[in-house]
Amino acid sequence: MFNVENIRKDFPILQRKVNGKPLVYFDNAATGQTPQLVIDVIANYYQNYNSNIHRGVHSLSQEATDAYEASRKIIQNHFNAKEAYEIILTSGTTHSINLVANGFRTLLTKGDEIIVSAMEHHSNIVPWQMLCEATGAELKVIPMNIEGELVLSNYDNILSDKTKLVFVNHISNALGTINPIKTIIKKAHLFGAAVLIDGAQACPHLIPDVQDLDVDFYVASAHKMCGPTGVGMLYGKEEWLKKLPPYQGGGEMIAEVSFNKTTYADLPHKFEAGTPNIAGVIAFGAAINYMNSIGFKAIEVYENELLDYATTQLLGIDGLTIYGTSKNKTSVISFNLDGIHPYDVGTLLDKMGIAVRTGHHCAQPIMDFYNIPGTIRASFAFYNTKEEIDNLVEGVKKAQLMLQ
Ligand SMILES: *Cc1c(COP(=O)(O)O)cnc(C)c1O
């Protein structure tokens, strides 16, 4: 049974006060909070078996290696990857995307085209622009409409035999829109193009099945799904991971090294140079187990309730506009008050203990589309409550009175 009061007890940070008021944490789209159980996993690693992995014959190294590889298995099962070695452990979504974009430098030439959407996070734009600069490939954009949905008829027009890669987020961090990625993937495959899905914002809310999606690359960060910062994953189909060259050279990623020639290790080690965030990876597995123990179906139902409630309450405020009004969206609400800068509202809300994000949310093209400097973004997780939303609505009304 889903019981939010019990769930809140798992998160020590939710008990604290900010500026003398109980913390209302509505910045979950930037990073999620961490339950005590996951914090304990990190402490336990350093207290009891801190040791480098894969290289040692001694017991601590073996324990650390086993826990690290067990985590890879948890991630494999969660995303339903066919093989554990198709899961590459990285420092996060940004690292995962750069790894793939860098690898494609060897596979693209002038005349090739790659496709991005109009609603991407900067980390799913800039690495590809760098790829275009390095190879002469051209970047095309799937536009969006006023509701904050991708215009798929336009996608059909820009797809062609020249298209080599398509990269789109599963859920927009700025608008909350859930994109029709299965359709996007299917259409790209008709032209032989590979698809990378940025799942950083989707994974806190749903379970992607990479085999069912038939996606070529899927990336995510642990810190948005109850895990620590500085850890993430790249799922890649075996055939693609074999085609891509290593991203970084170093220890652990080699088979043999001499000054004449170095040969690379097999998957997944080819892409995991150097000592990784071992405690972080182990905690990532624990975080996924924790979220599954709550249940993604229950999380979805509850978060949709929060989203509907907050949308109705906020729209009751005169002069408030919500950006991103797709029927397919998750618990992210971007909004503005007429004639008031989002930053000023965010600052006043902070004084009331309410944490929201203000600004462009690393998605400047979306702000340009709406011709606004930024938005106030409230993003909800399964440990938030309707009472907290009432606090937000009261806070926004107060801020409006003070700033008008
Ligand atoms: C958070 C986020 C990223 C960046 O994730 P990092 O953990 O900072 O690498 C990329 N894309 C989307 C959609 C995000 O929400």
Side-chain angles (χ1 to χ4, degrees):
M1 262 303 287
F2 187 89
N3 180 325
V4 70
E5 285 315 318
N6 280 342
I7 287 169
R8 288 177 69 80
K9 291 184 192 136
D10 295 340
F11 294 82
I13 206 168
L14 298 180
Q15 325 303 325
R16 74 163 278 185
K17 290 191 168 175
V18 168
N19 294 322
K21 303 279 168 27
L23 167 67
V24 172
Y25 186 76
F26 283 160
D27 195 17
N28 294 287
T31 200
Q33 293 304 343
T34 320
Q36 186 63 48
L37 174 150
V38 173
I39 299 170
D40 289 345
V41 166
I42 297 168
N44 182 42
Y45 168 81
Y46 286 109
Q47 282 163 358
N48 292 308
Y49 62 106
N50 178 26
S51 181
N52 214 330
I53 51 168
H54 294 139
R55 281 164 248 193
V57 292
H58 63 81
S59 298
L60 293 194
S61 175
Q62 203 52 58
E63 281 176 37
T65 304
D66 288 350
Y68 185 88
E69 290 305 324
S71 209
R72 194 192 307 274
K73 272 266 173 214
I74 293 169
I75 298 165
Q76 176 203 351
N77 289 334
H78 184 70
F79 289 93
N80 193 30
K82 204 153 116 202
E83 306 290 348
Y85 55 74
E86 291 177 316
I87 303 295
I88 310 300
L89 297 161
T90 66
S91 72
T93 299
T94 302
H95 177 191
S96 301
I97 294 172
N98 276 281
L99 189 160
V100 175
N102 193 76
F104 267 89
R105 288 186 183 204
T106 58
L107 303 177
L108 297 191
T109 54
K110 204 169 160 55
D112 289 338
E113 293 177 357
I114 60 179
I115 296 179
V116 67
S117 96
M119 61 168 88
E120 297 305 310
H121 190 283
H122 294 163
S123 71
N124 202 24
I125 302 175
V126 184
W128 306 110
Q129 288 174 323
M130 291 161 72
L131 172 63
C132 286
E133 268 174 39
T135 60
E138 197 185 328
L139 188 68
K140 302 258 172 175
V141 183
I142 311 170
M144 61 182 231
N145 62 23
I146 200 76
E147 283 81 32
E149 296 167 329
L150 295 179
V151 183
L152 287 195
S153 57
N154 205 289
Y155 177 49
D156 288 333
N157 295 339
I158 55 178
L159 262 174
S160 77
D161 291 332
K162 292 184 191 164
T163 312
K164 295 294 180 272
L165 251 175
V166 177
F167 30 97
V168 174
N169 59 35
H170 194 164
I171 293 180
S172 157
N173 66 301
L175 303 171
T177 312
I178 306 172
N179 287 315
I181 58 165
K182 204 164 176 180
T183 307
I184 288 171
I185 293 164
K186 211 177 253 170
K187 285 175 186 279
H189 284 170
L190 292 176
F191 292 91
V195 181
L196 177 141
I197 298 296
D198 170 357
Q201 204 57 235
C203 291
H205 306 290
L206 50 83
I207 305 179
D209 179 327
V210 293
Q211 290 190 75
D212 178 59
L213 289 168
D214 195 24
V215 68
D216 302 289
F217 302 100
Y218 195 99
V219 301
S221 294
H223 69 94
K224 293 191 182 167
M225 38 195 311
C226 295
T229 57
V231 183
M233 55 80 80
L234 159 66
Y235 159 78
K237 272 187 193 161
E238 181 175 359
E239 50 173 303
W240 276 111
L241 292 178
K242 283 193 165 147
K243 253 184 248 179
L244 293 188
Y247 178 41
Q248 292 178 312
E252 192 59 36
M253 54 75 74
I254 46 85
E256 273 181 81
V257 176
S258 76
F259 285 110
N260 292 328
K261 187 172 169 52
T262 289
T263 50
Y264 304 128
D266 290 335
L267 293 174
H269 308 293
K270 173 174 132 185
F271 293 110
E272 295 182 5
T275 303
N277 182 348
I278 302 168
V281 166
I282 297 168
F284 188 9
I288 288 176
N289 282 345
Y290 173 77
M291 290 199 76
N292 279 309
S293 77
I294 308 276
F296 276 85
K297 197 68 221 168
I299 288 173
E300 185 189 329
V301 170
Y302 182 69
E303 287 179 345
N304 280 340
E305 250 176 62
L306 292 182
L307 176 65
D308 289 346
Y309 182 70
T311 303
T312 309
Q313 297 300 311
L314 285 170
L315 285 177
I317 299 174
D318 266 351
L320 186 146
T321 307
I322 291 180
Y323 302 93
T325 49
S326 174
K327 283 191 178 59
N328 287 318
K329 68 177 278 190
T330 45
S331 48
V332 173
I333 303 183
S334 253
F335 63 95
N336 271 332
L337 295 170
D338 279 354
I340 299 175
H341 199 280
Y343 178 83
D344 297 333
V345 181
T347 306
L348 286 177
L349 288 176
D350 180 59
K351 298 250 186 307
M352 307 172 207
I354 302 168
V356 293
R357 185 143 297 234
T358 60
H360 55 61
H361 318 300
C362 298
Q364 269 178 0
I366 297 181
M367 304 304 137
D368 292 346
F369 174 82
Y370 288 112
N371 199 18
I372 50 177
T375 69
I376 304 147
R377 182 185 69 187
S379 50
F380 314 122
F382 58 92
Y383 42 71
N384 289 128
T385 64
K386 285 189 181 163
E387 292 72 42
E388 290 181 311
I389 290 169
D390 292 339
N391 284 350
L392 171 72
V393 173
E394 280 316 302
V396 171
K397 284 182 185 162
K398 262 190 218 161
Q400 190 180 38
L401 272 180
M402 290 168 76
L403 294 166
Q404 249 169 1

